[in-house]
Amino acid sequence: RRVHGDNEFKKKVLLLQRIGLRYIGKKKFNSKKRKFIHCTRSMEEILSSEDIYVESLQKIMDCYHRPLLNLNNSAQLRVAEVFRDLAPILATHTAFRNSLKEILSKTDDRKNWPQKIATTVIGMAPYFKQTSPYIDLFNSTIEIVSNMEKDKLASKILKEGKEKASLDIRSFLIMPIQRIPRIELLLKDLIEHVDPETPAHEFLKKAHGAIKGVAEHCNRKKLESDQRFKLWAIAGKIKNVPDDLDLRGPSRTFIFEGSLKYFEKKQKTIVLCYCCLTNDMLLFADDKSQEISYRGYFSLTEGENIRLSTELTPAQKEGLPNESISLLGFSLCKNESEPLIFFSLNETEKKAWINQIGKIL
């Protein structure tokens, strides 16, 4: 300032301001451009994923439904019950897919895509609720499929269907439960990148709210389904399970699994066991090399008569091997019967088991 004088200094300040404003303006433009590109991709993903979903529903009808329906004992196998809600769901999503195609085909109208998609979703939302009864009956549907696999002809069709469609029937049947939450997530992503000052933003929020309830219901049912699939996988690995114990019962769901040490009273030894906790029992099995062999289970159905002790009493500690001193024990006891004593190797593991069992009781 002393060298160039006040005028020269002001000129330099103004020049720096102009450069700064130009940079900020360019940065804002680039930010808007990035959001515009992201929105376009999100909307295209809604369409492409809907297209794949509709094709998948068509595959299950062609590769599984029609061949099974042609069996002489289809009524006995309850084939119609498995697929009864899929036809209206397919019709709804075909109409939705076609509407999206029409909107996105008009590239010169790109700025209006978000609002038009939102309006379409709001209009289709009541029909998306068709998924709810399908979800409610999903567990019984899977049970029917399990019974079909025991039938010679139906089992053959299920295997052929898997070869043609590249997926087994269960993988297809879970898709309607997964689809609505997927649309909800894509809409949520779109809302985050659409300019909040535009009318489309408010329309998208309404569209998101319209299917959120159905999506939450789907997510709950998907979690139940995942737990059932997990239990079926475990049941297939455990050997020598008694015939009267059905690990894949329709009301039984997986909760927790892991390794615990178990006190074998007869031999007075502590053995390492694989343990699986369901909503109604704690199953324990010998885990030797690659084979898991059934040992026993403790029923948790009579919660008021069961006592879960987080620490072993002096009486329970009597007769335990010396190695139990370094282990963390807990016990389960029904009425006045002999307690089952388990040990964990660390405090975190012990707390996890006690917490999960305590929730059930």
Side-chain angles (χ1 to χ4, degrees), residues 56 64 158 161-169 171-172 175:
S56 297
Y64 292 102
L158 292 176
K162 185 180 178 180
E163 289 175 7
K164 290 177 186 176
S166 303
L167 282 174
D168 63 74
I169 190 169
S171 299
F172 279 111
M175 286 179 182

Side-chain angles (χ1 to χ4, degrees), residues 168-179:
D168 63 74
I169 190 169
R170 287 189 179 88
S171 299
F172 279 111
L173 291 173
I174 193 71
M175 286 179 182
I177 296 175
Q178 296 170 329
R179 183 57 196 160

Side-chain angles (χ1 to χ4, degrees), residues 222-264:
K222 184 181 180 297
L223 179 61
E224 287 177 22
S225 173
D226 289 345
Q227 289 172 332
R228 282 186 60 75
F229 278 129
K230 175 82 172 173
L231 188 58
W232 287 336
I234 291 167
K237 293 177 184 176
I238 299 175
K239 310 295 182 185
N240 306 319
V241 178
D243 294 335
D244 59 346
L245 179 61
D246 183 12
L247 295 180
R248 298 174 179 174
S251 60
R252 184 165 287 137
T253 55
F254 169 83
I255 304 293
F256 197 62
E257 69 174 333
S259 294
L260 284 172
K261 291 196 170 185
Y262 167 72
F263 177 55
E264 175 58 67

Side-chain angles (χ1 to χ4, degrees), residues 147-244:
N147 291 329
M148 282 183 190
E149 290 171 335
K150 297 172 187 175
D151 182 87
K152 189 176 179 180
L153 292 174
S155 177
K156 186 182 177 184
I157 289 171
L158 292 176
K159 286 177 182 176
E160 288 173 352
K162 185 180 178 180
E163 289 175 7
K164 290 177 186 176
S166 303
L167 282 174
D168 63 74
I169 190 169
R170 287 189 179 88
S171 299
F172 279 111
L173 291 173
I174 193 71
M175 286 179 182
I177 296 175
Q178 296 170 329
R179 183 57 196 160
I180 301 299
R182 177 69 178 150
I183 294 172
E184 190 243 344
L185 286 173
L186 288 168
L187 283 175
K188 193 175 179 181
D189 179 66
L190 195 55
I191 290 166
E192 289 173 1
H193 292 88
V194 166
D195 187 348
E197 296 177 4
T198 60
H201 190 266
E202 199 59 37
F203 273 90
L204 284 166
K205 283 173 74 176
K206 286 180 183 177
H208 179 261
I211 66 166
K212 191 177 179 182
V214 183
E216 287 172 350
H217 187 40
C218 288
N219 283 328
R220 284 193 299 272
K221 210 65 183 179
K222 184 181 180 297
L223 179 61
E224 287 177 22
S225 173
D226 289 345
Q227 289 172 332
R228 282 186 60 75
F229 278 129
K230 175 82 172 173
L231 188 58
W232 287 336
I234 291 167
K237 293 177 184 176
I238 299 175
K239 310 295 182 185
N240 306 319
V241 178
D243 294 335
D244 59 346

Side-chain angles (χ1 to χ4, degrees), residues 3 60 71-72 76 92 106 112 115-116 132 153 155 187 196 199 202 205 217 236 240 250 265 289 301 327 339 346:
V3 176
I60 194 173
L71 291 173
N72 294 330
Q76 186 183 345
T92 295
K106 296 174 182 176
N112 293 319
Q115 187 167 330
K116 287 185 176 181
S132 288
L153 292 174
S155 177
L187 283 175
E202 199 59 37
K205 283 173 74 176
H217 187 40
N240 306 319
K265 295 182 183 67
S289 63
T301 53
L327 300 172
N346 58 68

Side-chain angles (χ1 to χ4, degrees), residues 241-309:
V241 178
D243 294 335
D244 59 346
L245 179 61
D246 183 12
L247 295 180
R248 298 174 179 174
S251 60
R252 184 165 287 137
T253 55
F254 169 83
I255 304 293
F256 197 62
E257 69 174 333
S259 294
L260 284 172
K261 291 196 170 185
Y262 167 72
F263 177 55
E264 175 58 67
K265 295 182 183 67
K266 290 181 181 179
Q267 299 175 1
K268 293 189 177 182
T269 57
I270 293 175
V271 293
L272 182 66
C273 284
Y274 164 78
C275 295
C276 176
L277 181 67
T278 71
N279 59 324
D280 62 350
M281 71 173 182
L282 174 63
L283 179 139
F284 44 103
D286 290 329
D287 191 358
K288 295 177 181 177
S289 63
Q290 295 181 347
E291 185 174 285
I292 302 174
S293 182
Y294 171 85
R295 177 178 279 271
Y297 76 94
F298 186 90
S299 176
L300 301 171
T301 53
E302 300 172 25
E304 66 280 1
N305 298 321
I306 298 170
R307 188 170 71 252
L308 171 63
S309 300

